[in-house]
Amino acid sequence: MTPQRYDLAITGGDVVLDGGEPTRVDIGVVDGRIATLTDQPIDADEQLDATGRIVLPGVVDEHFHVFRGYPWETYENATRAAAKGGVTTVVDMPLDQPTTVTAAALEDKLAAIEHACHVDYATFGGYLPEDPDEMTAMAAAGAGCFKLFTGGVAPPGMYPGVDDGQLLDALRRAAALGLTTTVHCENAGIVDFETARLQGEGRTDMAAWDDARPWFAEVAAAHTVALLAKVTGARVVIAHASSPQTVEMVAAMRRQGADVWSETCHHYLCSTKDDARKDGRLKWNPPTREADQVARLWELVKSGDVHAIGTDHAPLPNVAGADVWDQLPGAGNAVEIVLPVFATDAIHTHGLTFGRVAELMSATPAKLFGLYPRKGAIRIGSDADLVVVDPDGSKVLDAAELEYHQQEKWSPFHGRTLRVLPLHTVLRGRVIVRDGEVLGTPGDGVHLRPEPSTAAVPTPS
Amino acid sequence: MTPQRYDLAITGGDVVLDGGEPTRVDIGVVDGRIATLTDQPIDADEQLDATGRIVLPGVVDEHFHVFRGYPWETYENATRAAAKGGVTTVVDMPLDQPTTVTAAALEDKLAAIEHACHVDYATFGGYLPEDPDEMTAMAAAGAGCFKLFTGGVAPPGMYPGVDDGQLLDALRRAAALGLTTTVHCENAGIVDFETARLQGEGRTDMAAWDDARPWFAEVAAAHTVALLAKVTGARVVIAHASSPQTVEMVAAMRRQGADVWSETCHHYLCSTKDDARKDGRLKWNPPTREADQVARLWELVKSGDVHAIGTDHAPLPNVAGADVWDQLPGAGNAVEIVLPVFATDAIHTHGLTFGRVAELMSATPAKLFGLYPRKGAIRIGSDADLVVVDPDGSKVLDAAELEYHQQEKWSPFHGRTLRVLPLHTVLRGRVIVRDGEVLGTPGDGVHLRPEPSTAAVPTPS
Amino acid sequence: MTPQRYDLAITGGDVVLDGGEPTRVDIGVVDGRIATLTDQPIDADEQLDATGRIVLPGVVDEHFHVFRGYPWETYENATRAAAKGGVTTVVDMPLDQPTTVTAAALEDKLAAIEHACHVDYATFGGYLPEDPDEMTAMAAAGAGCFKLFTGGVAPPGMYPGVDDGQLLDALRRAAALGLTTTVHCENAGIVDFETARLQGEGRTDMAAWDDARPWFAEVAAAHTVALLAKVTGARVVIAHASSPQTVEMVAAMRRQGADVWSETCHHYLCSTKDDARKDGRLKWNPPTREADQVARLWELVKSGDVHAIGTDHAPLPNVAGADVWDQLPGAGNAVEIVLPVFATDAIHTHGLTFGRVAELMSATPAKLFGLYPRKGAIRIGSDADLVVVDPDGSKVLDAAELEYHQQEKWSPFHGRTLRVLPLHTVLRGRVIVRDGEVLGTPGDGVHLRPEPSTAAVPTPS
Amino acid sequence: MTPQRYDLAITGGDVVLDGGEPTRVDIGVVDGRIATLTDQPIDADEQLDATGRIVLPGVVDEHFHVFRGYPWETYENATRAAAKGGVTTVVDMPLDQPTTVTAAALEDKLAAIEHACHVDYATFGGYLPEDPDEMTAMAAAGAGCFKLFTGGVAPPGMYPGVDDGQLLDALRRAAALGLTTTVHCENAGIVDFETARLQGEGRTDMAAWDDARPWFAEVAAAHTVALLAKVTGARVVIAHASSPQTVEMVAAMRRQGADVWSETCHHYLCSTKDDARKDGRLKWNPPTREADQVARLWELVKSGDVHAIGTDHAPLPNVAGADVWDQLPGAGNAVEIVLPVFATDAIHTHGLTFGRVAELMSATPAKLFGLYPRKGAIRIGSDADLVVVDPDGSKVLDAAELEYHQQEKWSPFHGRTLRVLPLHTVLRGRVIVRDGEVLGTPGDGVHLRPEPSTAAVPTPS
Ligand SMILES: [Zn+2]
Ligand SMILES: [Zn+2]
Ligand SMILES: [Zn+2]
Ligand SMILES: [Zn+2]
Ligand SMILES: [Zn+2]
Ligand SMILES: [Zn+2]
Ligand SMILES: [Zn+2]
Ligand SMILES: [Zn+2]
């Protein structure tokens, strides 16, 4: 028997295997897939030394915006940022211009970005009230999931929201298609009323933004969504749950049989309303919450009631001179910093394990969106999507170093000391980032469809 | 000491005293109030023999429509029906023409009905989006409570619904005024979508009406209402909860601190969807439910999670030739039959006590709407509002004998054998019905305002 | 009609009627029973002016020891103390010499105390492992309820404890007899082990006593009791629950269908372990708890999860020179001070109402032990057992003024300022205490049996 | 680089990797440990073809009796049965003669069985009331865990039971030693009383045994155990939970912070009280339960509230002529049939996955007893303990083919059709059973101590 030759060997690292915690093992890659896990020597064309490092499955960002058609960001740039951040799969939102809520728009988009991406990508479709059958057509055209807004969208006019009847219709259709739906949950009536009220009071301070989008606006919307998930049997992800009350309500609805999941973002865990008050650009939908709420949200991460971390990567620009109401919301370049920012707090402050980090950022997102076990897991046969991190480093985040297209070099986390540092990123066996340097090129990434076989994958519990 | 002389003595009966069960005691009335409870002789100008009977506090109907300004019913007639049914207080809804959502409209209405009513009455105001300050003005003008619709109203155009922002505003205002708000809870988006969908399918059968207003439309709306009750501190009554799921959700929200209460109607307990299918007029908003749901609702009455019975007395006319979608909804003359219909099932089928019947129909409604202990209780100093019932009689309900103005003599419960039969009704010490014969006259009833002193009344738990 | 003449009128007071809160009403008594409640004049042979006072139903002490046969206290003296304290019924424990666990012993005791008591009394029987059928014989002889100890008794040898098999047997028998069982719940194995361990460590400080009887010893025993209550259908009162954890566990078991009730004592609410450490006689079984536990216990009183207050009146003597292990436990003369001590804190510190005080001290104990509505309620036909209190007085408790037989004049609450002060006590229409002066005589009190009719009394919920 | 040579390759199978579900992968073994997982060719000295088969981690039987010193069974024989049944590790109970509750007894036993076992083994110690410090000595001598009985043991006299004080002491000591304690939970008082009662009634039918050991005897004991686990911080396994009520109570106590776990046995899931009635040897402590209880227990397996399957392998002999009370209890040769019996029902009737089977039978037992990840997992570096099964075969269980020493060839599951069939067993890389034929020899198995490093292993949740 001639010795097996491998394309790539990742050696010396502590590897977070599927469902487990770091284990000293080497990884052999053949044809872009993980072929071997071993403590024996691997004879490979290329070596990636991970000694003293943690090897994680590549991050799957289940909530990622590029805003195609707006002049703010490019897929080349945004996915280059992803690669640098250890994110090897993005699930791309449909808030494009034109909006990606028809099969034609989706096909156009897929063609346009076919050679643009540094990392793999799946795509959201949406719901077109005038022609709901487009959902079926989008699924055929490659939509892997759907995105809905409960009522309003910010910035207004960007995307069609749904009322609760359309929500019911959309979830029935998604259930029939077997595809997951992510829903942005803020009760539009409450938010609009409070916004008008506070504007009427002359409020323009940063806290006014947060006050206009209270936790109960999120709970109210998310409860209706979870209830309709239960009624229709649809699988639903509650997008960017910012309030512990929302997560607790979702947990209660799950116990009642709803197939509903809580996603949160690193900025709801790693910053508070007090931080937001210091910077006029720190406005999100929903907003950051008070410190005690954030502490409760961490508890829910620990208890397992928060299921996934998405970035809500949203490269909206600074609007010069705009007040808090007119400024565009968004998290800036989140995809490049989500892993170090979240994992630093998770590991070094809150005592989470790297296994749990991988579950929140890779395995569960992959499972929720039909990409597992191809994505989200270090196991034989899976795509060799990996990120090698320094688990105990130290580096001050400098926004000027981040990838941006037309915008200012800005980050809500500028100046923060990071301890968990992504060093190398591997996409299907190719080292696309080595020591922070991007080696990959646009077009490395391919389009992903949810795989039918994954229907048999056990539900994350 | 000269012997005390009483205006009226009710003797020989088993009396449901405040907070208790039937006790053998006599009642002495002076100046319209209960002056004495005793097992000693009472020297009175007038005697009402209750031997072998149960004496209950007069029923307080907290959910009563006359639809002033529409040509369907008169206050004389409707309150005459109330008196015959043992109802001594009604809380009158504002779905009038013009709608009673301004102080001017309320003052006009109060003046118009001042000499019309056979029984006492309190009045609902509403919320006018264009001028919410009218709530304060209505409270000053005598509104005892407020009525809101979550979104849509049927028949459409009859009354202004609120969106969730207005709901928040209205509940904040009601909390500041210290007044109770009743909310009709059906998610308008869901109901409208399902209605259009079923109409699109050509459905015109009776069940289509019920299918278009599923239980989860009620739960979705009621959850938002309960959540905003919690946030604002307002006391809220969930109107005519038809689904056990709604009542259970309300119970859970109460445990979380919301001051929210579940009202149901006799027709959700004493008839089922199967009954409704037999008669094209048997449509309600919300509709009757399946038999197993009704059974669960009875369990919740027994457990104490249902707090009050309202009638939703709604004398809407038969629309000749109308299909299920165009027919006007409504319970017909409910105020005259609510006591015998509900108590017959409650006592003879479900094993409830007369004490519990009085709590559901008199004490708790009075407490919820600020009328207790003047109303809703047999205790010293309370208004001598009483109904004497035969606890174990037998009489077939004949719709032709019921009080109606212009409409057909119709009842959903026509032909039903009643076992608990109201015989005599006493209003502030006056026997206004004796042996089923109305002795009172229009104008006997007076307008009631919630009393400030009742703030100290212990909350029903 | 000649004017009715009454034996006694209690006039001018705010009366806590059955199930309600203080109401301005006068009470007329005929033949020892409440004949009339009225706001009209009462023509009576004797007047008791209650102007400015609160009139409560006489306290029913469901947990009262005299220890007949021991040289410590007499029934004359102990019930005289009860009368002075506003307690009109005591339920007397069977820890006598000989123990009252046979019909013969009960008959002997009943004959002996027939002319001794100032207030009415019911009597506990017990369980004799050698002849369990004595339970049936005791019920026939007049036992109104049964008392069990889970394992050990302190002082040891005083009374037969039961193991869990005997507990099962006893509860099955009590259920068949329809009588309530009170169980002292401390896990004997745990308490004995910890006692031996701490004695082995040479501990003799006051806290050692408390440490040897930890909260989980109570929870462990009470859980088994509650579980067997559920299995047998017996009604069980958890005696003197000292730990909030016990009360919470009982509440959970009630929701699972066990007919089990939480009694606590004023000393678990009105003193803490810190108080106990200051006085070598302040030892109880179970012991007082830490201040934060006491605060939680008050919360459970407010929430309704604590159902009744018993005194555990236990006039055990000071044993000169005894250390903490040999000193006799007991609450001293609790029956004379339970009302002012508990009500002072309840009303003036914790915001409870007089209605709730009456529920905890009179109505619920009477219901639990089959004495309601004869006892525990101010309503027509009930025994005219009343206590008139000054709701907002001030008096320093002086142990020297308390009734004691052979013992030192001692009280755990000596020196405490009382705000709710019992002034007059009425037993079946006789004023047995007026302005603190005892007017009654031994033999005023009669023996009470649970009344069959009370089976229909609604269960306190 | 010269090609790596492996000692053994298991090829072609679907492998249940640690924490996952069957995946097509090959396994390379070096020096008894899993060295490689791969889909590439493996060059090995020995091949084990698993094509079409499922490869599971070897079963870890956490509840295994041989009864050393009794004349019933030998370690050679019992562990030979284990090997045939796919069990590669047993945790051996201390119910020996003399009892293994001292370090001396443990050392003697370990020396005696050093060359006897076909599979690896860890050993339980116990609690000696007369000298509790022996727990520490036993831990030093190699005890990996402790076994306690709540009160009584059957057969009586076999082993010292503990009272609740000793239980508290033992759990405190186990917590300090960092070792797990398994507790047999049946309330001795209840069982003894019911036994005497039923014997007194002349009952000798099979159901009498079950009736004497009701579900609430288990719940009562297990609650105290769980409460003391919480108080002491000890990790406790509730042995052979037979009642769903027990498992539900344990789940509730876990939510309150107790480190307590529910073990059940295949016979509580795969047979019912009706089965037991048909065969006089089918008596267990605790007994099998009614069919509806068994159905609820399966639900709790599915929900994750049952954590582990033990066998309670207990080769007690048939006592000729004994009635139900005198017959020896026990499950016969359970270790040889637990995997096919449980997995047949789990996979083919109840829809569990092989991943869940491995979790219940291998991973969680290994974690609970400090043996993970050396045992219980197919991952790099773990011992190559494997069982290859036919997932969809068919074979009728013939008791005559089972391993037994002196006893009759008997099984409760004789005649049952098995669908999941163990074919080959691998112990640390040695094929000790191939196609059902035992190739291993006594002494293949080694003694296991819990590894300190496993303290860092994440707790099963
Ligand atoms: Zn969003
Ligand atoms: Zn977004
Ligand atoms: Zn309505
Ligand atoms: Zn209405
Ligand atoms: Zn006691
Ligand atoms: Zn006592
Ligand atoms: Zn056992
Ligand atoms: Zn065992």
Side-chain angles (χ1 to χ4, degrees), chain A residues 68-426:
Chain A
R68 177 174 179 252
Y70 293 91
W72 304 325
E73 185 52 283
T74 63
Y75 278 87
E76 288 79 357
N77 209 60
T79 58
R80 181 180 165 90
K84 287 172 68 180
V87 177
T88 50
T89 298
V90 294
V91 191
D92 184 46
M93 285 288 174
L95 282 73
D96 304 307
Q97 203 169 31
T99 50
T100 306
V101 293
T102 63
L106 177 60
E107 285 159 0
D108 179 67
K109 173 175 174 174
L110 287 174
I113 68 175
E114 190 177 0
H115 304 295
C117 295
H118 283 263
V119 300
D120 289 356
Y121 52 97
T123 43
F124 280 93
Y127 179 83
L128 183 64
E130 305 87 279
D131 191 359
D133 289 338
E134 283 286 338
M135 281 181 72
T136 308
M138 278 184 281
C145 40
F146 298 100
K147 174 68 180 293
L148 300 176
F149 275 77
T150 50
V153 187
M158 185 178 249
Y159 191 75
V162 293
D163 67 26
D164 293 339
Q166 294 159 346
L167 176 65
L168 172 64
D169 186 42
L171 293 185
R172 279 182 180 142
R173 291 168 183 271
L177 292 166
L179 296 179
T180 297
T181 304
T182 293
V183 188
H184 178 119
C185 295
E186 289 186 291
N187 181 295
I190 294 172
V191 169
D192 292 349
F193 183 87
E194 290 293 89
T195 299
R197 181 176 68 81
L198 296 171
Q199 289 175 334
E201 292 177 6
R203 292 274 299 275
T204 58
D205 57 304
M206 268 304 295
W209 181 261
D210 298 354
D211 293 345
R213 313 182 91 84
W215 64 267
F216 54 86
E218 186 176 80
V219 172
H223 179 270
T224 301
V225 170
L227 180 66
L228 295 184
K230 182 182 165 191
V231 165
T232 59
R235 171 164 291 177
V236 171
V237 173
I238 302 298
H240 46 50
S242 64
S243 307
Q245 294 95 328
T246 300
V247 176
E248 289 163 353
M249 181 276 295
V250 167
M253 292 298 283
R254 284 178 60 74
R255 284 192 289 273
Q256 292 178 32
D259 188 7
V260 59
W261 303 83
S262 287
E263 168 195 289
T264 192
C265 304
H266 57 296
H267 42 267
Y268 300 118
L269 289 165
C270 305
S271 63
T272 70
K273 193 172 169 181
D274 281 344
D275 298 323
R277 288 200 178 105
K278 295 172 193 152
D279 183 341
R281 291 210 56 204
L282 275 161
K283 47 179 276 194
W284 286 290
N285 309 336
T288 37
R289 303 295 177 188
E290 303 284 357
D292 62 335
Q293 297 285 80
V294 172
R296 272 175 70 194
L297 194 58
W298 271 110
E299 288 307 311
L300 292 163
V301 171
K302 290 179 197 172
S303 74
D305 288 315
V306 168
H307 303 101
I309 305 290
T311 62
D312 208 0
H313 178 88
L316 292 152
N318 194 12
V319 180
D323 72 1
V324 73
W325 303 111
D326 291 329
Q327 183 54 268
L328 291 172
N333 175 350
V335 77
E336 189 171 344
I337 53 93
V338 64
L339 176 56
V341 167
F342 172 68
T344 293
D345 282 10
I347 301 291
H348 289 281
T349 303
H350 293 282
L352 268 70
T353 61
F354 276 105
R356 184 83 181 106
V357 167
E359 191 174 43
L360 287 158
M361 304 189 79
S362 303
T364 300
K367 289 175 181 177
L368 288 175
F369 289 88
L371 303 173
Y372 178 93
R374 180 171 173 191
K375 301 296 187 184
I378 299 181
R379 60 181 234 171
I380 307 301
S382 293
D383 281 357
D385 292 355
L386 307 167
V387 53
V388 180
V389 303
D390 179 350
D392 198 13
S394 181
K395 179 174 191 294
V396 175
L397 193 158
D398 181 357
E401 297 176 356
L402 299 179
E403 300 293 329
Y404 273 100
H405 180 54
Q406 296 199 344
Q407 312 159 52
E408 82 281 34
K409 299 282 187 174
W410 174 86
S411 170
F413 299 100
H414 178 74
R416 181 166 297 212
T417 299
L418 306 175
R419 302 281 307 278
V420 176
L421 306 174
L423 304 174
H424 322 302
T425 305
V426 178

Side-chain angles (χ1 to χ4, degrees), chain C residues 45 276 387 461:
Chain C
D45 294 342
V387 53
S461 63

Side-chain angles (χ1 to χ4, degrees), chain C residues 131-146:
Chain C
D131 190 359
D133 289 338
E134 283 287 339
M135 283 182 70
T136 309
M138 279 184 282
C145 40
F146 298 101

Side-chain angles (χ1 to χ4, degrees), chain D residues 79-398:
Chain D
T79 58
R80 182 180 165 91
K84 288 172 67 179
V87 177
T88 50
T89 297
V90 293
V91 192
D92 184 46
M93 284 288 173
L95 283 71
D96 305 308
Q97 203 169 30
T99 50
T100 306
V101 294
T102 63
L106 178 59
E107 285 160 359
D108 179 68
K109 173 176 174 174
L110 289 175
I113 68 175
E114 190 177 358
H115 305 294
C117 294
H118 283 264
V119 301
D120 290 355
Y121 52 98
T123 43
F124 279 94
Y127 178 83
L128 184 64
E130 305 87 280
D131 190 0
D133 289 338
E134 283 286 340
M135 282 181 71
T136 309
M138 278 184 282
C145 40
F146 298 101
K147 173 66 179 294
L148 301 177
F149 275 77
T150 51
V153 188
M158 185 179 249
Y159 190 75
V162 293
D163 68 26
D164 292 339
Q166 294 159 348
L167 176 65
L168 173 63
D169 186 42
L171 293 185
R172 279 182 180 143
R173 291 168 182 272
L177 292 166
L179 295 179
T180 297
T181 304
T182 293
V183 189
H184 177 120
C185 295
E186 290 187 291
N187 181 294
I190 295 172
V191 168
D192 292 348
F193 183 88
E194 291 295 87
T195 299
R197 181 175 68 83
L198 296 171
Q199 288 175 334
E201 292 177 5
R203 292 275 300 275
T204 56
D205 57 303
M206 268 304 296
W209 181 261
D210 299 354
D211 293 346
R213 313 182 90 85
W215 65 266
F216 54 86
E218 186 176 80
V219 172
H223 179 270
T224 301
V225 170
L227 180 66
L228 295 184
K230 181 181 166 192
V231 165
T232 59
R235 172 165 289 177
V236 171
V237 173
I238 302 298
H240 45 51
S242 64
S243 307
Q245 294 95 329
T246 300
V247 176
E248 289 163 353
M249 181 276 296
V250 167
M253 292 298 285
R254 285 178 60 75
R255 284 192 289 271
Q256 293 179 31
D259 188 6
V260 59
W261 303 83
S262 287
E263 167 195 290
T264 191
C265 304
H266 57 296
H267 43 267
Y268 299 119
L269 290 164
C270 304
S271 63
T272 69
K273 192 171 170 182
D274 281 342
D275 299 322
R277 287 201 179 103
K278 295 171 194 154
D279 184 339
R281 290 208 56 203
L282 276 161
K283 46 180 277 194
W284 285 290
N285 310 334
T288 36
R289 304 293 178 188
E290 303 284 359
D292 61 335
Q293 296 284 81
V294 172
R296 274 175 69 192
L297 193 59
W298 270 110
E299 288 307 310
L300 293 163
V301 171
K302 290 179 197 171
S303 74
D305 288 315
V306 168
H307 303 103
I309 304 289
T311 62
D312 207 1
H313 178 89
L316 293 154
N318 193 13
V319 179
D323 73 1
V324 73
W325 303 111
D326 291 328
Q327 183 53 269
L328 291 172
N333 175 350
V335 77
E336 189 170 345
I337 54 92
V338 65
L339 175 55
V341 167
F342 172 69
T344 293
D345 282 10
I347 300 291
H348 289 281
T349 304
H350 294 281
L352 271 70
T353 61
F354 276 105
R356 182 83 181 108
V357 167
E359 189 174 43
L360 286 159
M361 304 190 80
S362 303
T364 300
K367 290 175 180 175
L368 287 175
F369 289 88
L371 304 172
Y372 178 93
R374 180 171 173 193
K375 302 297 187 184
I378 299 180
R379 61 182 233 171
I380 307 301
S382 294
D383 281 357
D385 292 355
L386 307 166
V387 54
V388 180
V389 302
D390 179 349
D392 198 13
S394 180
K395 180 173 190 294
V396 176
L397 192 157
D398 180 356

Side-chain angles (χ1 to χ4, degrees), chain B residues 63 65 147 240 312:
Chain B
H63 192 144
H65 298 265
K147 174 66 179 293
H240 44 50
D312 208 0

Side-chain angles (χ1 to χ4, degrees), chain C residues 61 63-64 81-82 85 87 265-267 284 310-315 330-341 361 402-404 410-413:
Chain C
D61 182 6
H63 192 144
F64 177 82
V87 177
C265 304
H266 57 296
H267 43 267
W284 285 290
T311 62
D312 208 0
H313 178 88
N333 176 349
V335 77
E336 189 170 344
I337 54 92
V338 64
L339 175 56
V341 167
M361 303 188 82
L402 298 179
E403 300 293 329
Y404 273 99
W410 173 86
S411 169
F413 299 100

